[in-house]
Structure formats: structure tokens, C-alpha cells
Amino acid sequence: MQAQSLSRIADFLALQIRRAFSTKTAVPEEWSEGKRMPSMWGPYGLSSWCISVLGLWILASKKGIQAFGQQFFIIDAILLMNQGVASWGADVLTFGFSSWWKPVDRIHAVCLFIWLALKPVLISMSLLQMLIYIVIGMVALACKYQSERSISKRCWQSFLFWHTAWHVVPPASLIVWAIILR
């Protein structure tokens, strides 16, 4: 039984690695190749830029610099601003089409998530700050999971809602976290 579970985990990880480096779209056939397109100027289309806004806020705000660590804030800002661009290119500009934006977005998002997950180890936080920071990360993953689930169920409106939340909720929450708790 354990060998079977390990095999499933290995298969899942292999699939995720192949998908990360793939230029193919992850949306269902009935949404691809222009059959369904989100508005570039609606909530979904603009949501990718929330990630870049967090990066800009860190650069422009004394509170942002303090919250994300005096020695690390430039790295945070650059990673976040780049992720917003990569996300917009993959999720909006080339929605439903195969593109080199897809692996750029996926790989960069994983690197950014790992970097942000290391923050509690890299900078000093109180227990409350750390717990809220971790909850924000868990909420982000829940939004991403629901977005992926909506794709597999082929539920367009649910996908738009959860993928927009994946782009908006974590950056907005981190700004509030930094202002109130840091």
C-alpha cells in the first residue's frame, strides 16, 4: 500500500514538473484557442497586476521595506513585479493559447512562492505575525486549488472568480499584514 501511495505521489510530481515546463495552455479545449476569452480590462484581466503593485508598494513604502526585511526588500520587489508581468502574459494576453509565457509564469510563481515561504526564517517575526503570514500563504494555495478545480470541472465563472482571488487576495493581505502587524 505504501509503495502504491509513493508511486502516486511520484506520478503527481512528475506531471507537475512536465506541466511547469510546458508551453501548452492548461485550460480545457472548449476554452482554448479563443473560444472563451476573459476581458483584459475586467477584474480577471487586471488581477495579475496586483502582484506587481505589491512589489511597487514594497519599494515605495518605508513600511514595505521594514516588513519584508531591510536586506531582502529589493529581491521581493523585483520578483513580485516580474511575476505580475509573467502572470499577465500567461493568464490574460495568451489565455487559452500555447505560449512561452506559460512556463515563465509557472516556474517564476513556484520560485516566488518558495522565496516568500522562506520569509519567516529570513526575517524576524513575532509568533502572531508568523501565524498570520502562514495563514495568508494557505489562503493563497486554497485559491489556486479552487481555480484548478474549476478548470477540471469546466466551470468558467468559478474559474474566473478563484483565479482572480489567487492574484488579488495574497498581495492585498500582505499589504494589510505589513501595515497592521509590522
Side-chain angles (χ1 to χ4, degrees):
M1 188 66 159
Q2 241 181 359
Q4 189 178 15
S5 293
L6 288 174
S7 175
R8 274 189 277 186
I9 291 170
D11 290 345
F12 172 78
L13 291 174
L15 174 67
Q16 294 307 308
I17 290 168
R18 279 193 307 276
R19 181 177 172 214
F21 287 92
S22 172
T23 59
K24 293 185 179 173
T25 184
V27 300
E29 176 68 30
E30 57 266 27
W31 298 358
S32 67
E33 303 295 323
K35 294 176 192 130
R36 275 250 132 113
M37 293 294 290
S39 167
M40 282 189 170
W41 305 109
Y44 176 91
L46 296 173
S47 69
S48 296
W49 297 113
C50 291
I51 304 163
S52 293
V53 167
L54 174 58
L56 289 169
W57 179 80
I58 291 169
L59 279 180
S61 161
K62 187 174 184 175
K63 207 55 159 147
I65 293 170
Q66 292 169 345
F68 287 86
Q70 197 75 30
Q71 65 276 43
F72 301 114
F73 78 95
I74 296 283
I75 297 169
D76 294 305
I78 291 169
L79 286 173
L80 288 160
M81 288 186 295
N82 288 343
Q83 184 59 48
V85 173
S87 175
W88 186 81
D91 296 349
V92 180
L93 182 66
T94 63
F95 183 88
F97 293 91
S98 295
S99 160
W100 62 270
W101 282 107
K102 306 306 190 219
V104 169
D105 175 46
R106 294 170 186 148
I107 293 165
H108 197 285
V110 168
C111 294
L112 175 62
F113 194 86
I114 291 168
W115 171 253
L116 292 175
L118 290 172
K119 285 306 226 183
V121 176
L122 297 173
I123 62 174
S124 171
M125 291 185 197
S126 72
L127 183 58
L128 178 62
Q129 291 167 336
M130 188 181 305
L131 287 174
I132 293 173
Y133 187 87
I134 290 168
V135 167
I136 292 169
M138 292 169 62
V139 168
L141 289 175
C143 291
K144 178 63 172 162
Y145 172 78
Q146 289 297 338
S147 170
E148 294 292 326
R149 201 162 166 242
S150 299
I151 290 172
S152 68
K153 289 181 166 187
R154 290 162 166 64
C155 185
W156 177 253
Q157 290 302 320
S158 179
F159 164 73
L160 291 177
F161 175 83
W162 287 111
H163 208 80
T164 300
W166 159 245
H167 290 159
V168 174
V169 172
S173 299
L174 286 172
I175 290 173
V176 171
W177 169 82
I179 291 171
I180 294 174
L181 294 174
R182 296 291 292 171

